[in-house]
Amino acid sequence: MWLDEVPAGAVNAANGSPLHSQVGAIIRSHIVNGQLPPGSQLPTEAELQERFSVSRSVVRQALAALSAEGLVQRGRGRGSVVSPRGEHHRLVQRMSGLSTQISAEGADVFTAVLALAPEQNAAASAALGGAEVVGIRRLRSAGTGPLAVIHTWLPLSIGAGLTAVELTDASLHTVLRSRLGVSFVSGRRQVRAVAATEGLAKLLQISVGEPLLLLEGTSLDEHGVPIEMFSTWHRADRVVFDLDVVDADAPAIAPDLAHADGRVTRPQLAAHAADLARQLHELSVELDRND
């Protein structure tokens, strides 16, 4: 049992953190890392009390906090079990942001603006072509609670007119597209695992040091001009990154040509080639007209 692997003295009143927070953090870490999968029965309050050498009230406070986070379900007569995962999935290779993708799942998304003001940030200024920048810090939540902290930098020319009111419970990309006609067309993304700092832990309602998924990147407009740099810290227990995978050596086949088993017939390929040839011919005629 996972409880037997918890070292003696793991909960210690001398470390400055409340005992119930320490107990909750240990149970939470086992849920997050998969040792306690959804539906798992937790030890009884008496077993937890004995293993951690704490009072029954401490155990109950810890379980109540985990229940409030949605990680544990408690029921009279059946003990406590690990809740089904309240995960949200994000396709990181897509330009659409977390708000748009979660909304597409049918979940309610909430965004609080924590800060919106010009900033001195050498890295952001360099990434955005040496421009003065506006920094926007937001907290994004869904039905399960806080999901991510987002820090975005925009050129002053784009971000100066934005207000906290219009960005509250809204997608930044949607606001910029509708108000200023700004299009996010391409960019580069990178993902790394980091530990929650004290500030991030407080906003995301987790313990200091818990794992976060940090997504960083820049976005370009249709002219290849950088218009956004961002860092987004996601709760690793509530957000899953999905990736579409393709074989780089495989021939590119239009999705609508393939059968369910991936086969493509010769007549389909011939029709597709003919359609491409027609489109190229029409394009060349159009270009001749514009010369």
Side-chain angles (χ1 to χ4, degrees):
M1 179 190 286
W2 66 271
L3 193 58
D4 297 329
E5 300 174 7
V6 178
V11 173
N12 189 341
N15 78 1
S17 179
L19 293 177
H20 67 86
S21 295
Q22 296 180 50
V23 172
I26 293 171
I27 298 174
R28 185 187 299 107
S29 68
H30 283 81
I31 293 174
V32 171
N33 67 20
Q35 286 183 275
L36 282 171
S40 298
Q41 184 79 41
L42 292 182
T44 65
E45 292 182 359
E47 290 172 328
L48 292 171
Q49 178 184 355
E50 180 180 358
R51 187 68 186 90
F52 292 119
S53 299
V54 295
S55 67
R56 181 69 66 89
S57 64
V58 167
V59 170
R60 286 178 175 171
Q61 279 183 283
L63 293 176
L66 293 171
S67 177
E69 292 179 38
L71 293 176
V72 167
Q73 294 177 342
R74 306 175 72 192
R76 185 178 297 277
R78 66 181 180 89
S80 300
V81 298
V82 179
S83 302
R85 284 199 173 99
E87 299 178 338
H88 298 282
H89 291 254
R90 178 172 189 174
L91 281 162
V92 294
Q93 76 271 29
R94 292 191 180 175
M95 292 302 300
S96 56
L98 183 63
S99 174
T100 301
Q101 293 194 29
I102 292 179
S103 296
E105 297 176 358
D108 293 326
V109 183
F110 308 96
T111 304
V113 178
L114 307 176
L116 171 56
E119 285 188 17
Q120 297 293 323
N121 186 299
S125 293
L128 298 175
E132 294 183 84
V133 298
V134 169
I136 308 170
R137 201 158 184 259
R138 294 167 291 159
L139 175 65
R140 186 146 284 154
S141 307
T144 53
L147 297 178
V149 174
I150 310 163
H151 202 153
T152 306
W153 295 270
L154 303 170
L156 187 63
S157 58
I158 294 177
L162 296 174
T163 67
V165 172
E166 66 185 328
L167 293 180
T168 298
D169 296 336
S171 160
L172 173 63
H173 286 197
T174 300
V175 170
L176 290 176
R177 189 180 301 112
S178 61
R179 261 196 55 180
L180 302 176
V182 174
S183 297
F184 295 79
V185 174
S186 61
R188 188 171 183 83
R189 307 286 184 261
Q190 62 182 21
V191 180
R192 70 184 72 196
V194 298
T197 62
E198 184 175 353
L200 290 169
K202 183 176 181 180
L203 289 170
L204 293 171
Q205 299 177 11
I206 56 177
S207 299
V208 174
E210 285 201 38
L212 299 175
L213 294 173
L214 172 59
L215 177 66
E216 301 174 292
T218 54
S219 301
L220 315 178
D221 66 11
E222 65 270 26
H223 305 295
V225 176
I227 53 176
E228 172 194 51
M229 173 176 155
F230 68 88
S231 296
T232 305
W233 294 265
H234 304 75
R235 280 189 56 153
D237 59 333
R238 291 183 177 171
V239 179
V240 176
F241 286 173
D242 292 336
L243 296 170
D244 286 334
V245 180
V246 297
D247 184 351
D249 298 323
I253 299 298
D256 58 330
L257 291 181
H259 292 282
D261 61 2
R263 292 182 297 104
V264 180
T265 65
R266 287 182 179 274
Q268 286 174 313
L269 285 174
H272 184 53
D275 185 55
L276 287 176
R278 177 185 57 77
Q279 293 179 45
L280 288 172
H281 176 70
E282 292 175 353
L283 179 59
S284 65
V285 170
E286 186 65 27
L287 289 173
D288 287 340
R289 289 174 182 169
N290 295 329
D291 283 345

